[in-house]
Structures are given as C-alpha cells and as structure tokens.
Amino acid sequence: MTQKTKKFRSSHWYGKLDRDGFIHRSWMKSQGFPDHVFDGRPVIGICNSASELNPCNVHLWEVAEAVKRGVWEAGGFPLEFPTMSLGETQMRPTAMLFRNLMSMDVEESIRAYPIDGVVLLGGCDKTTPAQIMGAASVNLPSLVISGGPMLNGKYQGKDLGSGTDVWRLSEAVRAGEMSAQDFFAAEGCMSRSHGHCNTMGTASTMTNLSEAMGLQLTGSAAIPAVDARRYQSAHRAGQRIVEMVYEELNILKIITRKSLENTIRVNAAIGGSTNVVVHLLAIAGRAGIPLTLADFDTLTRDVPLLVNLQPSGQYLMEDFFYAGGLPAVIEELGDLLHRDALTITGKTLGENVKGAKIYNDEVIFSRTKPLNQHGSTVVLTGNLCPQGAVIKRSAASEHLLTHRGPAYVFETIEELKAKIDDPDLPVTSDSILVLKNCGPKGYPGMPEVGNMPIPKKLLQQGSTDMVRISDARMSGTAYGTVVLHISPEAAVGGPLALVKTGDMISLDVQKRSLQLEVTDKELASRRASWQPLDLGFKRGYVKLYIDHVTQADQGADLDFLVGSSGDVVKRESH
Ligand code: FES
C-alpha cells in the first residue's frame, strides 16, 4: 500500500473531521505543528527514558533529536514522550522493584496515544527490558535505540570498568591495600562521559541482546554514547521506524522463539549478565512465547565464551566496539544461531551481519580458539532450589565450581552488613555464605546484593572468592562464585528459608546441582515452626508488587501483566 492510501492507527485521532478530531489536532497545533503534518502520515512515538536522576540515560534528549530528523526525513511525524526512568545507582530500595511499573507506564502510554510506531530510548539496566516488555504488550512496530556505553574509565594509567572496579577497589580498601583518598579519586575517573556502564554488565548485555533479538539496528549497541556514529544510527533508526509502520513490521514479528533462542546463545558468548535471565523470561511472557529457566542451560551448553570483557574478562565496551562489536560475534557464532530470524531491518540476522569481521582477537575470540569453552550462565537445581537457581560460570573461580562446605546464614541484608567485618565471624574460606529474604517479594524487588562482600578477616588472609548463595540478583558487573535467583525464595517459604548456620551445602556446577545436606524429616520439622517476615508494606505500588510478583524462574513480572492487550482502545477520549 502506498503512503497516500494507507490508513494508520493515528487516523482514529487526527483523521476525523468531527469535534473530536478538532480537539485532537487543535491542541497539538499549539506546539506550532502546521496543518499538513496531520495529513495521515505515520505518527512515531519516541519513548524517552531520559532523566537527570538517571545519569546513564540523560543524553537521550539529544539522541531523540537525531531520531526526529530521521522520522521527518522519511515522511513521519515524530512526537517524543517521557516515561518513568530507573536510575540504577540512585533508586532505593532497588531499581528492579520498579521495572514492572515502568513497563506499565510504557505500555499504557503507547496504547493511549495516537502512535503508529515506537522508538524506545533506553540504556540503564532496567530501562531496556521495561521498554521491550511494555512495547511487546501493545505490539506496534517498535525498535530500540540504546544510549550507548560510557568511554573507558582511566585511572593511574589503567582502564577502570564501571561497577566491576568498584567491587575490586572497595575490597582493596577493606583489605587495607588501597587508601580512602585513592578510592575517592577513582570516582571521577571511572564515569567520565555520558552513557551506561562500560563493562558487560546488565546495561551493555541488554542493549547488545536487543540487537541480537533483532530490535536494534545492526552494529549500533556498542557505539560509545559520545561517538557521532550513535547519532547517525539514531537518525537512521528514525527513518527505519517509518518504513516499519508501512511494512506493518510489528514487534511480535521480531520477538519469536527463534529470536529469543538467539538472544540466550549470544548472551552466553558475550559473557552477559545473569540479570537477563529474569528479563528475557519476562519478555517471553509478554510475547506469549513459552520459555523456561532450563532453556537457558540447554541452549548454552555448546556456546563458547568469545568476548573478553569485564567482569568475565579484561576489556571494556569501547574496546568491544573497535574490535567489531556484536556483528562480529554473531557472524563468528555461525550455525549456533538461527540466521533466518527476522529483524527490524526487514532482513534476517544472518543477512545483517554477513561479512562482519573481528578486528582485535584479544577482545573478540574465535570459535576455534575461544576465551572459554563454556558459556556464561548455568542453571542449577536441587533440594535447595526446587524451581532453579543460576550461577555465572564465566565469572566464578574454577576451584570453587565443585565445593562442599558449612553454611553461615544471614537472615537479612542488614544482619550481613552488621556482621561481615566482625573479626570474630566464625567463617573460613570453605564456608558458604547464605543470604535470605532478598528475592522478589522478600526485599522487595530482588536487589543486586547476591555478590556478598568477602568477610574482612578472610580478605586480610588473602581470600578473594568464596561460595555465596541467595535469592537475590547480582549486578551484571559483579563476579565471583555466586549462586543467585534461588526459587522459590525464602520469603515464600522456599527451602532457603530453612537453612541454618552449620548445615552442609554442596555445589557441583558440572552436575548442575545445589544440595542442602539436611534430612527431609529435619526440614519438615523446621518448616513447621517457620514464620515469614512482616515487611510492613500495606499500600501503594509496593503492596501491589508484593501481592502479584512472580518468582525469579518466571521472570519476576506481575502476574496480571503477562501477555498482551494489543493496541486497540475502543472508546474515544473524554
Ligand atoms: Fe546505569 Fe550501570 S548504572 S547502566
């Protein structure tokens, strides 16, 4: 259908010649838009998560201007709108508590307004999944433009990686190996430009994976935030979304079982964040695609780790971009991916990356000589995690992947903070630290505290890692032998709630096993006297969240948000 004859969704607002049409157009004309922009051209919503409280996304106002240029050039009508923004480093108790709220904001904004296609501008950890979840539940043509990573941090002649080096340097201070002044000086050196975290943390993982899923222009995820090519790609994305509206290339034609399988496999190859497990499960739920925690394990067993980025490796996102970025990784993965998966370019994933090259084989390894034969995320099962748990194998210590030791239990994060530096804490490097009540309902919001600090006395003895297990998440920038996302969580009475200090726990990553060595009889007796914590949340969004959030193995979405409601609103605006 040609531009002249095709009728879009927005015509139900701007194409009417009655009183309602007058109202819809007249108020918009107050912004200076002339008559001819209401001539039936596609209206493109630019869903912007820029906020001064979310420094990783603050430059998206400028990125939006580049998108608008592309939309105008292609004959569309761009309209930018704000949504909630989730500043990972600024929100209490955790940005994850609000991922589902932001997704509702995105979904309802898209549906309620006269929009034909959507450009999603995100970057910081939870903003990308929240936007994709919301857009999937409406199912208009939609694409992602991420804000891009910060430039490499630079400090005392060395690179500093967002997050990963915070954990490393803070442990050095606790061990007495670094002064507080040097630690303070490193702050301004780590975050020295606009952009999201420059390690392969959750932000870089989710933006790369949105490209792997087919939702972002080829090669755009890794472009540094301050590189002119980011603005060029935003301009091109503005042009492309207009074409997608004409082609009726809706987001659920891109998010399919095949594209999700590709995404999971690419995540293994890039050493991506464990957080993507809950995000991809939630996205699949919105898209109505069956996906299980077990899929993450079975799909990645034969995927090698190719990308040498912190926290699994050495380099940072700027290096990754110069080394060829995601197209080079996808091309290298070859037949491990569904190359015929459709993408927003209108071409397949394989066509998009054809001929992409690796320019630095220290940063992107080949399949024949990978950084590690094993991919990144492993799914564990056992009597301690009947619905599963995850561990990032690529960021764990090889010697701890098979380990048996006595539990030392912290009932809450506050108890951990109060005791972890106690010189008399009765732990050795063989102990297994157990943290409870940090799952979706228990904290609430499933915070990134699973990478518990190593007890100070062990740090001073030279320990740098130990087995730690919890129902929490950990930052995608974190590392260590850390078992996460134990389901069901302690707050709903999962077996984790019943663990006591001194219980023996065995971890065997090769066998995918996590076992609590306590008899069923003893566990039944403990369960009889178990009481959930009263968190005291009686109203508002947090109450809604606690009442409806699903467990980590289901994506920690709100149960009533699973699925899609489409884009139709039957009633006029009044
Ligand atoms: Fe925003 Fe890391 S804190 S991306």
Side-chain angles (χ1 to χ4, degrees):
M1 195 174 276
T2 66
Q3 184 163 350
K4 285 195 181 103
T5 57
K6 191 147 187 166
K7 209 167 175 192
F8 299 115
R9 180 176 185 265
S10 58
S11 68
H12 298 297
W13 283 257
Y14 299 140
K16 299 170 78 169
L17 297 176
D18 57 5
R19 186 187 65 178
D20 292 329
F22 178 103
I23 291 170
H24 295 315
R25 288 184 300 273
S26 176
W27 266 258
M28 291 300 282
K29 287 179 181 176
S30 71
Q31 299 180 74
F33 294 122
D35 292 346
H36 72 270
V37 303
F38 301 96
D39 61 0
R41 65 186 67 198
V43 175
I44 304 301
I46 301 174
C47 176
N48 198 345
S49 58
S51 164
E52 288 185 343
L53 284 165
N54 186 355
C56 310
N57 289 18
V58 76
H59 60 301
L60 291 175
W61 280 303
E62 285 128 53
V63 176
E65 293 307 313
V67 177
K68 287 179 195 170
R69 288 198 295 270
V71 173
W72 284 123
E73 188 183 348
F77 178 14
L79 291 169
E80 183 182 350
F81 62 97
T83 63
M84 184 179 195
S85 191
L86 308 179
E88 188 70 22
T89 53
Q90 311 298 317
M91 297 187 90
R92 289 184 176 182
T94 172
M96 181 63 177
L97 176 63
F98 306 107
R99 182 201 64 178
N100 302 336
L101 181 60
M102 181 177 170
S103 79
M104 290 169 80
D105 183 349
V106 170
E107 174 182 345
E108 301 301 345
S109 294
I110 294 171
R111 184 179 297 114
Y113 282 117
I115 288 171
D116 301 308
V118 191
V119 174
L120 305 167
L121 298 187
C124 193
D125 292 21
K126 309 301 176 289
T127 57
T128 307
Q131 289 182 326
I132 296 174
M133 288 160 67
S137 287
V138 189
N139 192 23
L140 290 178
S142 313
L143 59 77
V144 171
I145 301 176
S146 56
M150 296 176 192
L151 297 175
N152 289 6
K154 296 283 178 187
Y155 179 62
Q156 295 182 343
K158 291 196 178 125
D159 282 355
L160 272 190
S162 318
T164 305
D165 277 314
V166 178
W167 317 127
R168 187 176 61 78
L169 298 181
S170 62
E171 296 290 68
V173 173
R174 292 175 66 238
E177 294 161 1
M178 184 181 197
S179 73
Q181 284 122 308
D182 281 350
F183 187 57
F184 178 69
E187 280 179 16
C189 305
M190 192 183 72
S191 309
R192 64 188 189 91
S193 80
H194 283 324
H196 58 68
C197 289
N198 56 25
T199 44
M200 193 57 82
T202 305
S204 298
T205 305
M206 278 308 302
T207 53
N208 274 295
L209 294 190
S210 70
E211 187 176 321
M213 209 184 300
L215 293 175
Q216 185 157 201
L217 285 179
T218 312
S220 61
I223 305 171
V226 295
D227 192 304
R229 286 166 285 186
R230 175 145 301 283
Y231 293 85
Q232 293 167 11
S233 96
H235 185 124
R236 286 204 316 278
Q239 295 173 296
R240 181 61 198 145
I241 188 67
V242 176
E243 295 166 1
M244 286 172 64
V245 173
Y246 282 105
E247 294 165 13
E248 299 180 17
L249 189 50
N250 295 30
I251 191 169
L252 294 186
K253 291 181 181 166
I254 310 292
I255 305 176
T256 61
R257 173 77 195 189
K258 270 187 184 176
S259 71
L260 287 174
E261 288 187 0
N262 282 344
T263 307
I264 290 168
R265 286 177 164 247
V266 169
N267 183 51
I270 64 177
S273 163
T274 45
N275 287 325
V276 307
V277 176
V278 281
H279 298 326
L280 293 182
L281 287 166
I283 290 168
R286 297 299 184 95
I289 298 167
L291 189 73
T292 66
L293 190 54
D295 288 328
F296 285 81
D297 200 84
T298 50
L299 286 166
T300 57
R301 285 192 180 220
D302 56 347
V303 181
L305 178 65
L306 300 185
V307 175
N308 186 15
L309 253 62
Q310 296 182 26
S312 297
Q314 183 183 349
Y315 293 95
L316 298 171
M317 282 298 291
E318 200 182 334
D319 309 305
F320 181 57
F321 177 57
Y322 303 143
L326 198 68
V329 176
I330 291 173
E331 183 70 325
E332 188 63 24
L333 286 172
D335 59 1
L336 286 174
L337 302 178
H338 302 291
R339 305 190 80 71
D340 59 345
L342 185 63
T343 74
I344 56 142
T345 65
K347 298 182 183 154
T348 66
L349 188 73
E351 288 168 340
N352 286 344
V353 302
K354 199 164 181 2
K357 290 192 173 52
I358 297 170
Y359 296 109
N360 184 340
D361 59 12
E362 282 296 304
V363 179
I364 302 175
F365 284 57
S366 67
R367 241 174 106 181
T368 47
K369 223 173 143 200
L371 181 60
N372 192 321
Q373 272 301 344
H374 309 287
S376 131
T377 302
V378 168
V379 177
L380 304 169
T381 52
N383 69 343
L384 191 45
C385 52
Q387 290 168 216
V390 302
I391 182 169
K392 187 169 182 174
R393 181 184 180 134
S394 57
S397 299
E398 198 65 32
H399 72 282
L400 290 172
L401 293 178
T402 305
H403 182 78
R404 181 173 180 271
Y408 187 86
V409 174
F410 301 101
E411 294 292 332
T412 63
I413 188 71
E414 288 76 21
E415 184 188 347
L416 180 144
K417 285 183 176 167
K419 290 183 175 170
I420 198 74
D421 285 346
D422 182 345
D424 297 323
L425 194 72
V427 292
T428 70
S429 54
D430 279 340
S431 301
I432 294 182
L433 301 184
V434 176
L435 175 60
K436 301 181 185 176
N437 296 306
C438 291
K441 289 179 193 283
Y443 195 70
M446 206 182 174
E448 295 183 335
V449 295
N451 55 317
M452 294 164 245
I454 305 293
K456 192 170 184 176
K457 77 174 206 186
L458 298 181
L459 271 182
Q460 289 168 337
Q461 290 165 16
S463 288
T464 53
D465 195 10
M466 62 193 300
V467 176
R468 292 157 272 176
I469 71 174
S470 73
D471 46 12
R473 296 175 302 116
M474 77 172 178
S475 165
T477 64
Y479 53 86
T481 311
V482 184
V483 176
L484 303 155
H485 308 190
I486 286 185
S487 299
E489 63 179 304
V492 298
L496 182 67
L498 310 177
V499 182
K500 289 187 173 175
T501 291
D503 289 347
M504 293 304 289
I505 294 175
S506 59
L507 167 69
D508 190 330
V509 173
Q510 189 62 29
K511 291 186 178 156
R512 276 37 181 183
S513 166
L514 181 66
Q515 289 291 335
L516 176 63
E517 297 180 10
V518 175
T519 63
D520 290 347
K521 193 173 165 205
E522 170 62 16
L523 287 177
S525 141
R526 291 183 193 179
R527 180 169 300 287
S529 57
W530 174 77
Q531 291 286 335
L533 293 178
D534 179 6
L535 297 167
F537 293 104
K538 303 282 187 245
R539 66 169 299 281
Y541 171 72
V542 180
K543 168 89 167 74
L544 183 78
Y545 177 92
I546 291 171
D547 288 349
H548 291 279
V549 70
T550 61
Q551 289 295 287
D553 66 304
Q554 304 290 310
D557 200 0
L558 302 187
D559 51 14
F560 59 83
L561 289 175
V562 174
S564 165
S565 305
D567 68 282
V568 176
V569 185
K570 291 196 180 127
R571 288 190 161 139
E572 249 294 357
S573 59
H574 293 288

